[in-house]
Amino acid sequence: MRFVPTIFAAFLVLVSVPCSAEGQERPRLGLTADEVAEINASPDAPGLFGEALASTRAAVNPWLDETPDIPLPADAGGGYTHEQHKRNQRTMLGAGQLYRLTGDEAYARLAARMLDAYATMYPELGEHPMKKEQSPGRLFWQSLNEAVWLVTVIQAYDAIYDWLPPGRREHLESGLFRPMAEFLSRGQPQTFDKIHNHGTWAVAAVGMTGYVLDEPEYVEIALLGLKKDGSAGFIRQLDELFSPDGYYSEGPYYQRYALLPFVLFAQAIERNEPRRGIFEHRDGILLKAVDATIQLSYNGLFFPINDAIKDKGIDTAELVYGVSIAFARTRDPSLLTIAQRQGRTVLSVDGFRLAKALQDGQATSYPFRSRVFTDGPAGEQGALMVLRSGEEHGHQAVIFKATAQGMGHGHFDRLAWLFYDNGNEIVPDYGAARYLNVEAKYGGHYLPENNTWAKQTVAHSTLVVDEASQFGGDWKRGMEFPPRPLMFATGDRLDIAAARMEGAYDGVRFTRVLAMLKNGPFSRPAVVDLMRVKSGETHRYDLPLHFRGQVMSINRPLDASTQSMQALGQDNGYQHLWARATAQVPAGELLQLTWLNEDRFYTHTALAGDGMNLVFAQTGADDPDFNLRHEQALLQRVSNADDHVFVSILEAHGKYDGAREYTTESASNLADLVYTADGNRELVRITARNGAVATLALAPDSGPDDAHRLEYDGTVYEWTGPYHLFDN
């Protein structure tokens, strides 16, 4: 109920403004005559814009004298007909853009021929033969692809609209655009009115079509939902899918996917009805979303939380559009650096101006920094907390996932973490189990292992209770229980974050603190990890650490399986883990695992509690179709415990150079790790081999002015607030 005032206010503004683009200059979506004149007035096409122009010509020109290939729909994602219709949408858009820029009617004729063929075929199509049950399409196996297609192709029609005679326009609109808009809206209300990325694509497609066709009804339902009351539609999606910090509820991977319809439709609204002030809505939420999408990346790739394909990064087409539109609105010179890393721009006046500014040397460094991104419409459903140290390329980053569930694409991984260093993912997230558009791999669908492994809690570096997944593996239940962030702070010496989770397991509460020591006892920053678990009953607790690299050393004798292996369990992801080895560590002693990733060593040191056993595991069990990547994990296991505290530190050290045959600092620099607590006050003392000592004092539940005192080993530690770092 707390969001009703925001939505109602937006609704009042919307209903007070008639939904109409009549009288607006054409094109309604793309390059106007004045914009083309501005571009053509330049003596040359600047940098990225010139490259975009050349690459579009190279893609479109071979089809100018060819008969369009418009096959009847037959294949699922990745199949021939699916991919051909995607190629056709890009060809039509490119042809339309080139017609606007050059005036060459050959491009208009190509786009028109292809549109004619689709307008003839589409009315005869029923449901796709390989339809996805939840949202079947006609041209594609799911209506999501149909909406993406329409978002693209309506821009092509818009570009050649004035070139077409009225009778031909009528054929295209009655045979293709109106039937498709009706199918995506009233024909699939369960998708069109859904607050979800599928709904975003659908409303953008229908709304943009409404502007081009002078159909205000389409614009109105796109903005307000099929009931026209603001309970669904584009504005409601802006209000509910983004947090006040611009974080998208399904995570960065789906944020970049949903970003394109958000920014394209917003741009269409701004062009046709600027009085709506769409880019000012919710304190500029769309521009915040572009910034958040960039921030949620490392070394060019998005943080792969939830159902993420790990190959996606800032050079994705959606963000290329987002950056050009954001630069047009803000003139922020740091966005030019992102465009430079993307290596491309779009054929719009925004892309032209961006490329010109970049060529003129206006770019400044993009400010990647430690930040907290709240989740939920009001920022009250957890947060994604990012701790960074150093420069953007090769620096260290800790990602602390204390977000809401993320709907059906969310994973059961509350209070999990990822760690990046030296340009690489060191403590990884598996992401999605899927080979997108690879037909041989389950038709390009999410693999069965996405549910049985990738979403399960044990597939992530967070607490598992009794070998079960959080919320019993029920994402709808998970939506009811967001984590509670306790603190987030940054400084020259350390960045720190803490959060608590209740409700993931009945009767179990767990609190995690992650701190990056940027100026501590080691030559490079180190990460302190403290997980406190409390319960009124005894349980088995597993705390996995997924890591990437080749194991170099373990300071404990292992009972290794060398002739045969068994799965670690029967369900909840454990059935996919081979038990490679086990070890025991006496309480109060240290486990040290060192591995090598590229040219740098990493040591994870864990302080053993009572009854701790260690399990080294590797994915690949119960995987007859070889669908899973072979990745490894270390599980700290404690059985028959009610309360328990896991304490560890991860340090990066040394260098390995195989070409020059030298190695430095291949062993850990940690000499001792101590933990003590008194009530809600805790100390983690770290001693380096050179004698340097850092002591992290914690009271994560306290306020900024609360005073604390804790004595340990003859030293009294006094501090104010939820944390303090003491030296020596």
Side-chain angles (χ1 to χ4, degrees):
M1 293 297 293
R2 62 180 178 274
F3 310 125
V4 170
T6 301
I7 295 169
F8 186 61
F11 175 62
L12 287 177
V13 171
L14 285 164
V15 296
S16 67
V17 180
C19 297
S20 175
E22 290 188 40
Q24 287 293 117
E25 180 185 8
R26 289 190 182 273
R28 300 281 171 77
L29 308 177
L31 287 159
T32 66
D34 288 344
E35 291 169 346
V36 171
E38 176 186 340
I39 293 169
N40 289 337
S42 177
D44 55 15
L48 294 181
F49 189 83
E51 294 170 14
L53 189 60
S55 65
T56 303
R57 279 183 170 134
V60 172
N61 284 357
W63 298 101
L64 288 175
D65 298 317
E66 296 292 328
T67 301
D69 181 7
I70 316 288
L72 284 171
D75 302 314
Y80 169 71
T81 61
H82 179 96
E83 294 303 311
Q84 183 58 34
H85 291 306
K86 286 169 59 180
R87 283 189 287 268
N88 287 344
Q89 77 188 48
R90 293 191 295 268
T91 300
M92 285 184 278
L93 176 60
Q97 291 170 328
L98 290 171
Y99 167 68
R100 296 299 305 170
L101 286 166
T102 67
D104 188 340
E105 294 188 3
Y107 293 117
R109 286 193 293 271
L110 171 61
R113 287 202 311 274
M114 298 179 76
L115 288 170
D116 279 339
Y118 277 106
T120 300
M121 180 178 70
Y122 195 78
E124 305 301 319
L125 296 179
E127 287 190 340
H128 194 282
M130 300 296 289
K131 64 183 180 181
K132 293 187 78 171
E133 292 301 326
Q134 68 271 33
S135 56
R138 293 176 176 172
L139 193 60
F140 294 92
W141 66 329
Q142 63 175 340
S143 60
L144 170 63
N145 302 101
E146 212 125 323
V148 174
W149 193 90
L150 182 55
V151 164
T152 307
V153 174
I154 193 62
Q155 295 177 74
Y157 178 56
D158 179 59
I160 66 168
Y161 184 94
D162 286 337
W163 179 84
L164 292 164
R168 205 165 179 186
R169 292 201 297 261
E170 171 60 26
H171 169 62
L172 297 180
E173 292 182 12
S174 62
L176 178 62
F177 292 116
R178 291 184 185 275
M180 189 173 282
E182 290 290 336
F183 171 67
L184 290 173
S185 56
R186 296 180 179 89
Q188 289 203 332
Q190 74 280 8
T191 298
F192 190 78
D193 278 352
K194 192 174 185 178
I195 308 303
H196 184 271
N197 74 77
H198 288 210
T200 306
W201 279 101
V203 300
V206 172
M208 291 167 68
T209 299
Y211 282 127
V212 176
L213 271 55
D214 279 333
E215 183 56 80
E217 173 75 4
Y218 287 166
V219 178
E220 188 173 9
I221 62 174
L223 290 171
L224 301 176
L226 290 171
K227 295 179 181 178
K228 305 179 189 177
D229 63 356
S231 62
F234 188 70
I235 301 300
R236 183 68 177 263
Q237 291 182 0
L238 284 174
D239 288 340
E240 291 204 5
L241 287 176
F242 292 104
S243 81
D245 297 301
Y247 177 79
Y248 182 74
S249 61
E250 294 177 286
Y253 174 80
Y254 278 94
Q255 176 147 345
R256 62 86 210 166
Y257 184 62
L259 189 66
L260 185 55
F262 271 118
V263 297
L264 285 179
F265 189 27
Q267 188 177 52
I269 296 168
E270 181 73 10
R271 276 178 173 263
N272 292 279
E273 300 178 276
R275 60 194 178 278
R276 292 189 182 278
I278 193 66
F279 282 102
E280 287 73 45
H281 184 74
R282 282 191 73 194
D283 192 29
I285 194 64
L286 279 173
L287 299 178
K288 288 183 179 181
V290 173
D291 175 65
T293 309
I294 298 167
Q295 289 284 345
L296 297 176
S297 67
Y298 178 91
N299 204 18
L301 295 176
F302 298 125
F303 302 143
I305 59 175
N306 294 337
D307 279 345
I309 306 297
K310 302 186 74 165
D311 304 316
K312 288 291 187 180
I314 62 172
D315 61 347
T316 187
E318 296 89 349
L319 192 54
V320 171
Y321 274 92
V323 167
S324 69
I325 291 172
F327 179 74
R329 303 293 306 176
T330 66
R331 295 290 168 172
D332 179 355
S334 70
L335 288 170
L336 299 174
T337 297
I338 300 301
Q340 190 171 36
R341 293 177 187 172
Q342 291 172 328
R344 55 182 176 150
T345 192
V346 294
L347 288 183
S348 67
V349 73
D350 294 341
F352 170 79
R353 292 167 181 166
L354 179 149
K356 190 172 186 306
L358 182 60
Q359 183 170 279
D360 291 345
Q362 297 179 24
T364 61
S365 177
Y366 195 84
F368 286 94
R369 59 189 184 276
S370 297
R371 283 184 59 181
V372 59
F373 295 89
T374 57
D375 197 357
E380 296 177 353
Q381 296 179 21
L384 190 72
M385 294 181 267
V386 182
L387 314 179
R388 295 188 189 261
S389 174
E391 298 300 321
E392 195 272 326
H393 286 288
H395 74 297
Q396 292 188 324
V398 171
I399 294 81
F400 188 14
K401 189 172 184 282
T403 62
Q405 180 64 33
M407 296 183 281
H409 285 299
H411 287 189
F412 304 104
D413 59 347
R414 304 296 173 83
L415 306 198
W417 70 299
L418 296 79
F419 177 66
Y420 294 83
D421 179 49
N422 200 27
N424 300 308
E425 195 178 21
I426 307 302
V427 175
D429 190 298
Y430 193 89
R434 184 184 190 185
Y435 291 88
L436 184 63
N437 288 341
V438 179
E439 196 170 15
K441 280 296 187 184
Y442 205 55
H445 293 252
Y446 287 101
L447 295 163
E449 290 79 9
N450 197 58
N451 288 325
T452 60
W453 166 251
K455 287 189 175 185
Q456 300 296 326
T457 304
V458 75
H460 304 85
S461 296
T462 191
L463 181 73
V464 188
V465 179
D466 297 329
E467 297 188 18
S469 280
Q470 298 171 0
F471 312 109
D474 181 351
W475 72 264
K476 293 182 179 179
R477 182 173 171 230
M479 293 286 288
E480 301 173 9
F481 298 94
R484 181 161 68 93
L486 299 176
M487 66 172 166
F488 179 86
T490 65
D492 293 335
R493 302 178 63 214
L494 90 162
D495 292 351
I496 190 167
R500 175 167 296 141
M501 187 67 228
E502 296 183 79
Y505 298 100
D506 291 340
V508 178
R509 181 180 77 181
F510 53 104
T511 304
R512 193 167 210 166
V513 179
L514 287 165
M516 179 185 288
L517 305 182
K518 297 188 288 188
N519 185 10
F522 307 122
S523 58
R524 291 190 175 94
V527 181
V528 177
D529 177 18
L530 189 149
M531 171 82 80
R532 178 190 283 273
V533 190
K534 296 186 72 66
S535 176
E537 300 179 355
T538 58
H539 298 277
R540 167 179 279 178
Y541 300 131
D542 285 340
L543 184 60
L545 176 81
H546 295 265
F547 65 95
R548 284 196 164 171
Q550 179 62 44
V551 172
M552 295 288 103
S553 65
I554 305 166
N555 72 335
R556 297 287 161 182
L558 297 178
D559 181 7
S561 299
T562 58
Q563 300 299 317
S564 63
M565 292 187 294
Q566 291 184 336
L568 193 55
Q570 300 299 317
D571 206 350
N572 303 318
Y574 281 79
Q575 74 274 25
H576 291 302
L577 285 171
W578 291 120
R580 293 289 309 273
T582 59
Q584 292 185 338
V585 185
E589 296 192 16
L590 301 179
L591 163 80
Q592 288 195 312
L593 164 67
T594 299
W595 68 91
L596 176 67
N597 186 302
E598 289 195 356
D599 62 349
R600 188 166 293 175
F601 297 94
Y602 299 88
T603 296
H604 178 260
T605 301
L607 177 62
D610 292 335
M612 179 181 285
N613 294 314
L614 303 170
V615 181
F616 288 86
Q618 180 177 302
T619 53
D622 194 21
D623 184 22
D625 297 320
F626 301 97
N627 285 334
L628 293 175
R629 302 188 300 270
H630 287 181
E631 299 193 350
Q632 54 197 335
L634 165 69
L635 279 71
Q636 299 177 58
R637 168 168 287 181
V638 179
S639 301
N640 299 317
D642 46 12
D643 298 348
H644 190 79
V645 179
F646 296 92
V647 182
S648 63
I649 185 166
L650 178 63
E651 55 175 314
H653 54 91
K655 182 177 178 63
Y656 171 75
D657 191 324
R660 294 177 175 81
E661 298 185 3
Y662 77 83
T663 301
T664 62
E665 294 186 70
S666 61
S668 168
N669 291 304
L670 182 72
D672 195 21
L673 178 64
V674 173
Y675 170 81
T676 188
D678 179 9
N680 68 341
R681 297 177 295 277
E682 303 169 282
L683 293 177
V684 179
R685 190 178 71 183
I686 304 153
T687 305
R689 286 192 294 167
N690 63 6
V693 178
T695 303
L696 179 61
L698 297 167
D701 287 292
S702 66
D705 299 322
D706 293 342
H708 307 281
R709 184 180 188 276
L710 184 58
E711 184 174 350
Y712 176 73
D713 196 23
T715 301
V716 175
Y717 296 89
E718 294 181 321
W719 74 97
T720 301
Y723 75 97
H724 189 79
L725 182 64
F726 296 91
D727 289 326
N728 292 324

